[in-house]
């Protein structure tokens, strides 16, 4: 049997832009991706704290140290620059792995700079 657990989370990132004319995805600063253990093209859930919208998309890497968190494509209609979002990825684990696994959680400030990880 497998169980789905949170693998990674970027907590309370600030949306820096939205681009409706892009094929789709979320652009995330490569430093944030690395700190959270997120991969290019990985599926994520985006939870908009500011308005309650939730959606799934995939990640494309943004420039390091840019602080970019840009929502692209159709999902751009669900956010505004300045909105606060939580970005979560999940993994499938067998029970033994699940009991020992610890997710990567990244906390950021209003400039999407890492303030702490756990």
């Amino acid at each position: 049997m497998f169980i789905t657990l949170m693998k990674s989370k970027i907590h309370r990132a600030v949306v820096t832009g939205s681009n409706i004319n892009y094929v789709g995805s979320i652009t995330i600063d490569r430093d944030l991706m690395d700190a959270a253990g997120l991969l290019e093209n990985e599926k994520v859930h985006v939870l908009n704290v500011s308005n309650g919208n939730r959606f799934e998309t995939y990640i494309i890497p943004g420039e390091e140290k840019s602080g970019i968190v840009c929502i692209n494509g159709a999902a751009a209609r669900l956010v505004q620059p300045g909105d606060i979002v939580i970005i979560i990825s999940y993994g499938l684990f067998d029970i033994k792995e699940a009991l020992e696994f610890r997710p990567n959680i990244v906390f950021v400030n209003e400039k999407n700079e890492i303030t702490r990880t756990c």
Side-chain angles (χ1 to χ4, degrees):
M1 179 187 320
F2 290 93
I3 185 169
T4 303
L5 299 178
M6 178 182 70
K7 180 182 81 69
S8 306
K9 175 169 76 165
I10 301 173
H11 191 72
R12 297 183 63 86
V14 177
V15 174
T16 59
S18 60
N19 182 356
I20 193 77
N21 294 314
Y22 192 83
V23 176
S25 68
I26 182 172
T27 305
I28 301 175
D29 179 318
R30 173 62 87 173
D31 289 337
L32 294 177
M33 289 176 59
D34 291 346
L38 296 168
L39 302 175
E40 183 172 359
N41 296 312
E42 186 170 353
K43 177 181 172 180
V44 291
H45 284 128
V46 180
L47 318 176
N48 190 329
V49 175
S50 299
N51 66 21
N53 285 322
R54 302 168 68 105
F55 56 91
E56 296 177 346
T57 190
Y58 62 93
I59 300 169
I60 59 174
E63 183 179 341
E64 295 175 352
K65 300 189 186 348
S66 65
I68 190 169
V69 174
C70 183
I71 312 301
N72 304 305
R77 295 197 181 275
L78 302 175
V79 301
Q80 296 293 319
D83 283 358
I84 304 296
V85 295
I86 300 170
I87 303 162
I88 304 173
S89 72
Y90 301 90
L92 290 175
F93 300 84
D94 66 34
I95 297 300
K96 184 177 178 183
E97 288 176 310
L99 292 172
E100 298 174 7
F101 180 75
R102 297 293 173 255
N104 292 323
I105 302 173
V106 177
F107 295 87
V108 297
N109 63 18
E110 65 281 347
K111 295 180 182 177
N112 292 332
E113 298 166 331
I114 298 169
T115 58
R116 70 181 169 106
T117 60
C118 58

